[in-house]
């Protein structure tokens, strides 16, 4: 593989991860205008589904088309996997509602060690020493990055619970998405997963929305949230990961963490002290350590 092609893959994954990193700040700004979690998630998934449908409408079939036509079983499996995608958005946005974005993203990154335990539990793969060390570093980094040792800082326990639930559901999404209907067109896979997530969002909206739905969300923040949370990242990362490979791609995708914290620092004026930045660096280092063996192949 040429260096220019590898660089292209790194840029695609990096831009996709950075888009994800900007997402929570837009959600927080929507909250500042009194929009609810139900309104934000509804707009995101509605625009996301429309965006993917437009991509499919203009997508030209490849000459050497080896894609698998989705069966009813594939569609059902992808929609079920998509429910965890919907739950991730709900839990993460609820988390952002209660605590700072710079802390919420750190809690979401706990998917790193949750993934290791899920793999151990479901696939009976005993974690290597390398992964165990990485998990320990992630936990140390999390303690520093959330500034939880500072007794003067009060973190709403609801934010912590929702953040960890978001990490767990995000891990489930990644775990299932990489194993279900792999040969099906990426845009179609995204569409069916979004439809599954939309069912969760619809149920959540019916349960939680106690005031009249504010449709202004669709032209104020809905498009931005959908672009940076549902449309751009999957397209860029699905294009970049086959070039970089899982190991290097995972390392590059950790850019989501510093981008999210930087956005919170510069746009939302959240306070981020030195020890928190150091904790963030530790978490990124842990992701590098976890994938170092694979990335050496490149």
């Amino acid at each position: 593989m040429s260096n220019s092609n590898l660089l292209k893959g790194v840029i695609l994954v990096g831009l996709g991860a950075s888009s994800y990193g900007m997402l929570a700040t837009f959600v927080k700004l929507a909250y500042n205008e009194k929009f609810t979690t139900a309104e934000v998630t509804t707009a995101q998934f509605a625009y996301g589904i429309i965006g993917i449908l437009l991509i499919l409408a203009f997508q030209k079939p490849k000459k050497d088309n080896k894609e698998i036509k989705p069966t009813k079983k594939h569609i059902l499996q992808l929609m079920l996997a998509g429910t965890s995608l919907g739950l991730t958005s709900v839990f993460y946005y609820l988390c952002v509602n209660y605590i700072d974005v710079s802390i919420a993203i750190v809690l979401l990154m706990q998917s790193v060690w949750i993934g290791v335990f899920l793999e151990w539990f479901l696939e009976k793969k005993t974690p290597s020493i390398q992964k165990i060390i990485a998990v320990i570093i992630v936990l140390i980094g999390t303690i520093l990055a959330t500034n939880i040792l500072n007794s003067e800082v009060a973190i709403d326990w609801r934010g912590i619970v929702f953040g960890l639930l978001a990490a767990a559901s995000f891990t489930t999404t990644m775990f299932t998405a990489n194993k279900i209907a792999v040969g099906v067109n990426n845009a179609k896979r995204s569409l069916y997963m979004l439809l599954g997530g939309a069912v969760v969002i619809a149920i959540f909206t019916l349960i939680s929305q106690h005031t009249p739905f504010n449709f202004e969300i669709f032209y104020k923040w809905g498009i931005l949230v959908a672009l940076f949370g549902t449309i751009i990242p999957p397209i860029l990362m699905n294009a970049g990961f086959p070039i970089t490979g899982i190991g290097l791609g995972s390392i590059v995708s950790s850019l989501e963490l510093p981008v999210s914290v930087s956005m919170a620092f510069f746009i939302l004026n959240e306070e981020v002290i030195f020890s928190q930045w150091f904790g963030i660096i530790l978490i990124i280092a842990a992701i590098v350590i976890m994938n170092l063996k694979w990335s050496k192949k490149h």
Side-chain angles (χ1 to χ4, degrees):
M1 185 184 295
S2 65
N3 287 333
S4 60
N5 202 32
L6 183 60
L7 179 62
K8 177 186 173 183
V10 168
I11 291 171
L12 287 170
V13 173
L15 288 173
S18 299
S19 297
Y20 270 136
M22 297 177 188
L23 181 60
T25 294
F26 296 138
V27 173
K28 198 80 167 181
L29 290 171
Y31 283 157
N32 290 343
E33 294 186 16
K34 307 303 179 185
F35 290 107
T36 65
T37 303
E39 290 162 351
V40 173
T41 51
T42 298
Q44 177 183 343
F45 274 73
Y47 278 127
I49 290 168
I50 292 169
I52 297 297
L53 285 172
L54 288 173
I55 289 168
L56 283 169
F58 291 99
Q59 195 174 61
K60 294 180 180 179
K62 296 179 182 178
K63 293 180 180 179
D64 56 340
N65 198 349
K66 296 180 181 179
E67 292 171 359
I68 298 171
K69 186 178 179 180
T71 63
K72 288 183 179 179
K73 183 181 178 181
H74 286 149
I75 293 170
L76 181 60
Q77 287 177 332
L78 286 168
M79 287 187 70
L80 283 171
T83 58
S84 62
L85 186 67
L87 286 171
T88 301
S89 294
V90 169
F91 290 143
Y92 188 43
Y93 296 171
L94 285 172
C95 172
V96 168
N97 194 30
Y98 291 111
I99 60 178
D100 287 349
V101 168
S102 54
I103 296 175
I105 185 63
V106 171
L107 293 173
L108 184 66
M109 295 300 287
Q110 302 311 296
S111 58
V112 174
W113 63 264
I114 293 173
V116 172
F117 280 96
L118 191 65
E119 187 180 54
W120 186 11
F121 179 73
L122 294 179
E123 298 188 352
K124 309 302 179 185
K125 289 183 179 178
T126 304
S128 63
I129 297 297
Q130 188 176 355
K131 285 187 176 181
I132 292 171
I133 292 171
V135 167
I136 293 170
I137 294 173
V138 166
L139 294 174
I140 294 171
T142 300
I143 291 169
L144 293 172
T146 54
N147 199 23
I148 204 166
L149 295 179
N150 187 347
S151 58
E152 295 179 2
V153 178
I155 302 175
D156 194 314
W157 66 269
R158 291 171 294 183
I160 295 173
V161 171
F162 284 127
L164 293 175
L165 286 172
S169 56
F170 181 67
T171 306
T172 304
T173 303
M174 295 298 101
F175 196 81
T176 53
N178 290 327
K179 295 180 180 295
I180 295 173
V182 178
V184 175
N185 176 287
N186 280 326
K188 288 181 181 177
R189 292 175 80 240
S190 297
L191 175 63
Y192 294 130
M193 289 185 73
L194 280 174
L195 289 171
V199 173
V200 172
I201 300 302
I203 294 170
F204 172 74
T205 300
L206 288 171
I207 294 171
S208 67
Q209 189 73 14
H210 303 301
T211 56
F213 193 96
N214 188 350
F215 288 94
E216 288 183 6
I217 187 65
F218 283 98
Y219 64 83
K220 282 196 171 182
W221 294 104
I223 294 175
L224 270 178
V225 173
L227 279 173
F228 287 92
T230 309
I231 300 171
I232 293 175
I235 292 172
L236 294 178
M237 295 176 95
N238 283 334
F241 261 96
I243 301 172
T244 62
I246 295 172
L248 181 59
S250 298
I251 293 170
V252 177
S253 64
S254 65
L255 274 172
E256 177 185 352
L257 181 54
V259 168
S260 187
V261 175
S262 297
M263 288 281 288
F265 180 75
F266 289 109
I267 296 178
L268 300 175
N269 296 317
E270 290 184 5
E271 184 182 6
V272 186
I273 61 176
F274 174 77
S275 61
Q276 288 177 274
W277 285 112
F278 184 65
I280 290 163
I281 292 168
L282 282 180
I283 294 171
I284 295 171
I287 295 169
V288 173
I289 290 169
M290 194 176 287
N291 295 282
L292 198 58
K293 184 179 178 181
W294 294 328
S295 62
K296 280 182 178 178
K297 292 179 182 178
H298 299 288

